[in-house]
Amino acid sequence: MSVAAPSRPFYFSAVHRKVVTPNDFTDLAQVGDRLRAFEDRYNATAQPFQ
C-alpha cells in the first residue's frame, strides 16, 4: 500500500469507519480480506484530498 504522508490520517480514518467498524470479524483472515478489498476499491476510486 502506498499512501502519501499528508493523507495518512484521512486514509486510516476512512479504514476505521468503513472497514473495522463494526467489529464483527470471526478471525484475522477475515480482517485481512476486508482490508484488501477496501484497499482495492480505494485505489480504484481515490481522489486527492482537498
Side-chain angles (χ1 to χ4, degrees):
M1 171 172 52
S2 175
V3 178
S7 65
R8 282 186 183 157
F10 297 108
Y11 180 85
F12 290 111
S13 174
V15 167
H16 183 262
R17 284 182 286 115
K18 297 179 180 184
V19 180
V20 238
T21 305
N23 184 0
D24 58 354
F25 306 107
T26 56
D27 59 23
L28 286 177
Q30 193 176 28
V31 176
D33 292 343
R34 194 177 295 179
L35 283 169
R36 279 187 291 281
F38 175 79
E39 182 180 8
D40 291 342
R41 281 191 314 275
Y42 183 88
N43 287 335
T45 62
Q47 298 289 324
F49 290 105
Q50 296 180 10

